[in-house]
Amino acid sequence: MTDTPTEQDVVDVLTTDHHEVLDLLEQMKVTTDPELLRDDADTIISELVRHSVAEEMYVYPAMRKHLPDGDEAVEHDIKEHKELEQTMKKLEGVGAEEPEFRQLLGQLETILRDHVSDEENEQFPGLRANIPRDELVEMATKVEAANTVAPTRPHPLAPNNQVFHKLVGPGVGLVDRLRDKLTHREA
Ligand SMILES: [Fe+2]
Ligand SMILES: [Fe+2]
């Protein structure tokens, strides 16, 4: 945290999200405590749902509008968000000591790395090339505002967040509960 107002644009914010989740996935590879692993998995689920919803609300409409093949790129990205969510829905209720847990994390990482590389190598540079910087900075503000109203864990990624568990709760249905809260469709 700094005292100065953020000058980050939306690409900076979303790129940070990507790498926080990828770093946590790396960290989980050397973590053995099942409770911590389960908690980290919930953190990853909540961060990725929040990130996907923010992109769908504030970024993909701009991609459709400003990128030459924006519609196609957005359809592709949304399809990958759905694949991530399908994997996370399987991960919701799996205990960290079950073999399926590591398998699902591996699957999640593969989809996420591909998706992150599409966004960071193609679509994000496209956004910066086609949208004035002040608009990109304004989009960053919107994405960050969405973070603060979201019932997800605060940055930096923190395990055992009481508010998160009280508002959303871990376990089966987490992905849907988060998406409902974030898009204001109360369950
Ligand atoms: Fe993303
Ligand atoms: Fe995305």
Side-chain angles (χ1 to χ4, degrees):
M1 280 285 168
T2 61
D3 298 333
T4 47
T6 176
E7 273 307 309
Q8 294 194 103
D9 72 7
V10 72
V11 171
D12 296 318
V13 172
L14 297 173
T15 303
T16 301
D17 282 352
H18 290 165
H19 294 279
E20 279 179 353
V21 174
L22 289 171
D23 286 351
L24 187 52
L25 279 167
E26 283 305 311
Q27 212 177 296
M28 288 173 83
K29 289 176 187 169
V30 293
T31 303
T32 50
D33 175 17
E35 213 172 305
L36 180 58
L37 281 169
R38 185 58 261 172
D39 210 59
D40 286 345
D42 287 345
T43 299
I44 282 176
I45 290 171
S46 83
E47 284 303 304
L48 281 181
V49 174
R50 182 194 57 68
H51 175 84
S52 298
V53 169
E55 284 184 339
E56 289 162 24
M57 285 172 80
Y58 303 113
V59 184
Y60 293 175
M63 271 166 50
R64 284 188 193 275
K65 194 170 152 200
H66 295 281
L67 301 196
D69 36 12
D71 284 332
E72 211 182 309
V74 168
E75 301 308 328
H76 175 81
D77 285 352
I78 287 177
K79 199 176 132 251
E80 286 181 333
H81 285 183
K82 292 209 172 106
E83 283 171 23
L84 287 170
E85 285 195 5
Q86 274 157 14
T87 307
M88 292 190 290
K89 282 182 182 179
K90 291 182 193 156
L91 187 62
E92 284 169 347
V94 178
E97 59 293 321
E98 295 173 49
E100 204 190 349
F101 186 85
R102 295 274 178 198
Q103 208 179 308
L104 287 166
L105 283 180
Q107 208 175 306
L108 193 71
E109 184 178 350
T110 304
I111 306 167
L112 184 62
R113 285 199 186 276
D114 178 72
H115 185 66
V116 162
S117 128
D118 285 348
E119 288 187 339
E120 292 184 12
N121 297 320
E122 291 165 36
Q123 289 128 33
F124 291 176
L127 288 174
R128 279 189 173 148
N130 290 285
I131 302 177
R133 180 166 165 85
D134 55 343
E135 264 182 60
L136 293 174
V137 171
E138 203 189 306
M139 281 162 72
T141 312
K142 284 184 185 161
V143 167
E144 283 181 326
N147 290 351
T148 62
V149 298
T152 56
R153 297 164 194 233
H155 282 298
L157 302 177
N160 291 314
N161 183 285
Q162 300 278 324
V163 178
F164 170 84
H165 282 284
K166 200 171 152 221
L167 282 175
V168 188
V172 173
L174 176 58
V175 169
D176 286 332
R177 287 197 299 279
L178 281 166
R179 200 169 252 283
D180 285 344
K181 292 259 181 210
L182 288 161
T183 54
H184 310 294
R185 290 183 289 111
E186 292 298 317

